[in-house]
Amino acid sequence: MSVFSTEYSYQQLPEILFAKCQPTAVAAPEWLAFNHSLADELGIPAQYHASEAGLKLFSGNDLPEWCQPIAQAYAGHQFANYVPRLGDGRALLLAEVISNNGQRYDLQLKGAGPTPFSRGGDGRSPLGPVIREYLLSEAMHALGVPTTRALAAVSTGESVYRDEPQPGAILCRVAKSHIRIGTFQYVAALNDRQLLMEFTDYVINRHYPQCQSQPQPYLALLAAVIAAQAATVAHWMSLGFIHGVMNTDNMTISGETIDYGPCAFMEAYDEKAVFSAIDRRGRYAYGNQPAIALWNLTRLAEALLPLLHSDQQQAIALATSALEEFSSLYQHNYRQKMATKLGITAPAPEDDPLIARLLQLLQQDQVDFSLFFRQLSQQDPATAAELFNDKRNWQSWLNSWQVRTSEQSLTSEQRIIVMQQANPALIPRNHLVQRAITEATGHGDLSFFNELKNAWQHPFVSKPEYQPLTRPATAAERVNRTFCGT
Ligand code: AMP
Ligand code: MG
């Protein structure tokens, strides 16, 4: 029997970091989705599970006394431009929940009305972005990527006005915390070393307690965040995930993927792939993601400088040496992921050219990234040949791969298992997400949303009934542009 346990540790921090704020009630909330297994992990009492009491809670219409909502302050670089005050403009932290295994999680409502950080926005969210975030964040979790989760989604019965009126909705998001690089930027800009130290100690204690016993805890924190981000972004890259809006306020300290706005899964392999309608110059293109992660981490390092050393030059030298680790950490994680996709369980740097030659071929022949790797994982990898025009180079690559995999101790049956666990049969293809959004928004039909939600819980299993979800979009179905959640 689990005990439901809530805490409010963020509110113990100085008040300049947050604002107490209540949700604004909505007209006629109705259930869109409730995540029972996540609720069980968190120990959310059964009375809130897809019930009337739950609807009141997750719409923000009537919060139980264990919710003590605040909006968090943060700053951030948006497309490289610094904005000193962003903050939760359409989100409210309700409480911190201690899960059954002792992990602390934030429960946050997204779209529950304006806050002191709304900057003229309405604090609301249309249904489409709520559906997208629910589907994508849960699919990413099932794919094994560190991510925020979706606990509940409700429609509001009210319209949200963007270019045109759209049905409104509210998501309940769960994260190890919502502390971002932008939160550190906000604190650092206050120019109060004592406050920066207090906040950083809080973050170390919450996320990286092992740093406390290091000779230089603040430098150790920077190194830990660098390692976490390197691993997460390498995982994205190995799945063809494009975040789309890697602003510093959208990068968590925990390393969890956050803010599923204009994100998309790449179909045809393309280093330059961009989907986000607002990313006109391709700053956040697929292939730029590791470099942008490092750029963002450099902003974190700058924020931490006053804690790294009393002499600024020495502080910069320490930060620089920590940042220099990113590249090898990323490369190590990426090689590990990509090699596993190829059934190579003990990769070495010599495997890099094999991976690079394959990606070159995929790019040249515009081969669907996920479909290719799944086909290569089947009993007869040569079927993947049909995906290539350049048969000669494909055959040559296949030969090298077969030589490399035959050097390993795995039997071919074992290799197939390893590969199928690394190469999803199902990814959240853009046109499928779009269809779920269109049907839900257009005529309140949630059946396709529900089908995707169920299918994407088991992305590494091939089931005949989900076969239609495995293929890439046809030219007519293809969705080339995605939009922010606002
Ligand atoms: P995002 O694009 O979700 O990363 O949001 C960037 C900033 O804009 C954050 O400070 C958000 O809280 C704020 N924001 C986005 N949408 C809205 C909205 N509808 N109302 C108020 N603030 C918003
Ligand atoms: Mg954001």
Side-chain angles (χ1 to χ4, degrees):
M1 183 61 195
S2 61
V3 183
F4 181 53
S5 164
T6 50
E7 290 182 9
Y8 313 91
S9 68
Y10 208 82
Q11 300 192 35
Q12 309 302 309
L13 289 165
E15 279 202 35
I16 195 156
L17 296 177
F18 61 89
K20 290 188 176 162
C21 179
Q22 292 294 324
T24 306
V26 295
E30 280 182 40
W31 279 107
L32 294 168
F34 185 76
N35 190 337
H36 287 272
S37 66
L38 178 57
D40 287 341
E41 251 177 75
L42 297 172
I44 304 284
Q47 70 193 97
Y48 302 112
H49 291 213
S51 63
E52 267 311 303
L55 203 53
K56 286 182 181 160
L57 160 58
F58 293 112
S59 63
N61 274 10
D62 187 6
L63 296 182
E65 83 293 341
W66 57 263
C67 293
Q68 297 180 17
I70 57 168
Q72 291 174 305
Y74 53 84
H77 277 89
Q78 298 184 310
F79 289 89
N81 300 308
Y82 184 65
V83 184
R85 191 176 146 102
L86 288 165
D88 289 335
R90 54 163 167 183
L92 283 176
L93 173 59
L94 296 179
E96 296 155 19
V97 174
I98 313 301
S99 74
N100 293 336
N101 59 14
Q103 172 67 52
R104 180 185 303 265
Y105 287 99
D106 279 0
L107 280 198
Q108 191 195 63
L109 290 187
K110 219 176 150 183
T115 77
F117 302 100
S118 294
R119 298 176 298 150
D122 60 3
R124 294 295 186 193
S125 178
L127 174 61
V130 167
I131 291 215
R132 174 181 289 274
E133 177 155 351
Y134 197 112
L135 287 174
L136 267 290
S137 64
E138 285 303 302
M140 288 285 271
H141 174 72
L143 288 164
V145 184
T147 176
T148 64
R149 307 278 313 268
L151 175 61
V154 301
S155 58
T156 61
E158 295 179 356
S159 289
V160 176
Y161 295 88
R162 295 297 179 258
D163 287 340
E164 52 189 28
Q166 296 183 37
I170 300 173
L171 180 78
C172 181
R173 176 162 77 178
V174 177
K176 285 187 180 156
S177 88
H178 288 83
I179 300 167
R180 308 133 194 273
I181 291 182
T183 323
F184 274 91
Q185 293 180 286
Y186 176 81
V187 179
L190 296 170
N191 275 319
D192 176 345
R193 189 172 178 278
Q194 203 53 42
L195 176 68
L196 179 63
M197 194 184 284
E198 186 182 349
F199 176 69
T200 308
D201 287 339
Y202 171 86
V203 173
I204 289 177
N205 184 45
R206 181 160 176 178
H207 288 297
Y208 299 100
Q210 69 278 15
C211 295
Q212 277 158 351
S213 55
Q214 297 292 309
Q216 298 188 65
Y218 303 121
L219 187 61
L221 170 69
L222 177 60
V225 180
I226 289 170
Q229 294 271 337
T232 298
V233 174
H235 210 155
W236 293 355
M237 296 298 284
S238 75
L239 292 165
F241 176 77
I242 307 169
H243 182 281
V245 59
M246 290 173 72
N247 293 334
T248 56
D249 54 304
N250 291 338
M251 303 302 287
T252 59
I253 294 302
S254 67
E256 292 169 295
T257 310
I258 194 171
D259 268 17
Y260 291 87
C263 65
F265 275 76
M266 179 172 68
E267 295 205 299
Y269 183 82
D270 180 9
E271 287 280 326
K272 294 200 160 51
V274 176
F275 289 86
S276 169
I278 57 167
D279 190 6
R280 293 196 187 84
R281 294 189 186 174
R283 177 177 170 85
Y284 300 136
Y286 169 73
N288 282 356
Q289 296 186 117
I292 291 290
L294 178 58
W295 192 92
N296 290 336
L297 289 161
T298 308
R299 307 288 83 77
L300 174 66
E302 284 166 0
L304 287 170
L305 280 181
L307 302 184
L308 297 183
H309 203 285
S310 53
D311 176 81
Q312 201 190 26
Q313 287 315 311
Q314 297 209 42
I316 290 172
L318 289 168
T320 305
S321 64
L323 290 164
E324 277 167 3
E325 289 298 305
F326 176 84
S327 161
S328 62
L329 284 167
Y330 170 78
Q331 200 50 45
H332 174 79
N333 280 287
Y334 178 73
R335 178 187 306 127
Q336 199 74 39
K337 291 276 180 233
M338 294 304 289
T340 309
K341 286 168 84 73
L342 293 174
I344 301 166
T345 48
E350 298 77 66
D351 289 314
D352 291 353
L354 185 72
I355 297 167
R357 269 174 55 215
L358 172 63
L359 295 179
Q360 219 176 355
L361 269 181
L362 294 176
Q363 171 113 27
Q364 174 196 305
D365 282 351
Q366 297 181 16
V367 175
D368 187 273
F369 184 66
S370 301
L371 187 67
F372 165 76
F373 278 103
R374 187 69 185 185
Q375 288 202 355
L376 194 72
S377 320
Q378 313 295 335
Q379 210 69 40
D380 175 19
T383 54
E386 286 162 28
L387 297 169
F388 294 88
N389 301 323
D390 184 349
K391 305 283 185 221
R392 201 170 58 89
N393 277 318
W394 157 251
Q395 193 56 51
S396 140
W397 182 86
L398 185 66
N399 294 345
S400 320
W401 175 68
Q402 282 166 336
V403 169
R404 177 67 180 96
T405 50
S406 68
E407 289 164 11
Q408 300 215 102
S409 54
L410 298 182
T411 64
S412 61
E413 286 74 23
Q414 287 169 329
R415 193 189 65 237
I416 287 168
I417 292 171
V418 165
M419 289 178 70
Q420 293 199 343
Q421 285 168 353
N423 295 311
L426 299 170
I427 52 156
R429 292 185 183 274
N430 238 348
H431 66 292
L432 302 176
V433 178
Q434 193 55 54
R435 189 181 139 197
I437 291 173
T438 305
E439 292 179 6
T441 307
H443 39 277
D445 181 356
L446 295 174
S447 53
F448 196 56
F449 165 65
N450 285 321
E451 181 182 339
L452 294 180
K453 188 155 66 69
N454 293 334
W456 290 345
Q457 278 175 24
H458 305 289
F460 298 105
V461 184
S462 293
K463 284 193 189 162
E465 68 265 38
Y466 293 140
Q467 190 59 29
L469 305 181
T470 63
R471 64 164 179 81
T474 61
E477 289 169 330
R478 197 164 296 138
V479 175
N480 291 319
R481 281 283 160 267
T482 53
F483 299 88
C484 275
T486 52

